[in-house]
Amino acid sequence: QVRLVESGGGLVQAGGSLRLSCAASGRTFSSGAMGWFRQAPGKEREFVATITWRGGSTYHADSVKGRFTISRDNAKDTGFLQMNSLRPENTAVYYCATATRWPTTRYDYWGQGTQVTVSS
């Protein structure tokens, strides 16, 4: 059974930084991708960034380009989301997810989410 566990969320002031981690277990992640998504209160879940396990190609939503950076450590089956210059509108529950194939828009496994709150 695949398990994803996020960590690193919390409360930060606007302009601050946080680094989210997503530890994956239950299978070998040699293909596909890991992605980060977020859902703010009253809004739909939206894509933030994704990275392929093989090759490390990255894709970031326009709203976070230049401020957020996705990365991964294949040896540890762990993904990261470095978030800089945070804004109050970035407040949301952040979820990591994995896709077993690439390219795809379908993510097969999801974590439980970690809360990020940015105060003004």
Side-chain angles (χ1 to χ4, degrees):
Q1 182 71 19
V2 174
R3 186 180 183 211
L4 302 177
V5 180
E6 301 101 331
S7 60
L11 174 64
V12 64
Q13 289 188 332
S17 298
L18 284 174
R19 188 190 194 209
L20 305 183
S21 298
C22 177
S25 61
R27 62 169 286 169
T28 300
F29 296 91
S30 59
S31 61
M34 172 176 278
W36 287 95
F37 297 77
R38 64 187 179 190
Q39 186 166 21
K43 295 188 177 181
E44 294 186 353
R45 185 174 62 196
E46 65 174 353
F47 167 78
V48 176
T50 196
I51 185 167
T52 59
W53 286 110
R54 185 180 299 165
S57 297
T58 61
Y59 306 87
H60 295 79
D62 288 343
S63 60
V64 305
K65 282 181 180 177
R67 298 187 300 119
F68 292 12
T69 303
I70 191 171
S71 62
R72 90 276 191 248
D73 182 337
N74 284 34
K76 297 181 179 180
D77 286 335
T78 300
F80 306 96
L81 185 67
Q82 178 66 43
M83 305 186 295
N84 299 328
S85 302
L86 283 161
R87 305 166 180 169
E89 55 264 38
N90 299 142
T91 294
V93 177
Y94 284 71
Y95 299 90
C96 70
T98 60
T100 54
R101 298 181 178 182
W102 188 262
T104 186
T105 58
R106 173 183 170 179
Y107 287 77
D108 305 284
Y109 303 100
W110 293 81
Q112 81 289 349
T114 185
Q115 177 70 47
V116 171
T117 302
V118 185
S119 62
S120 58

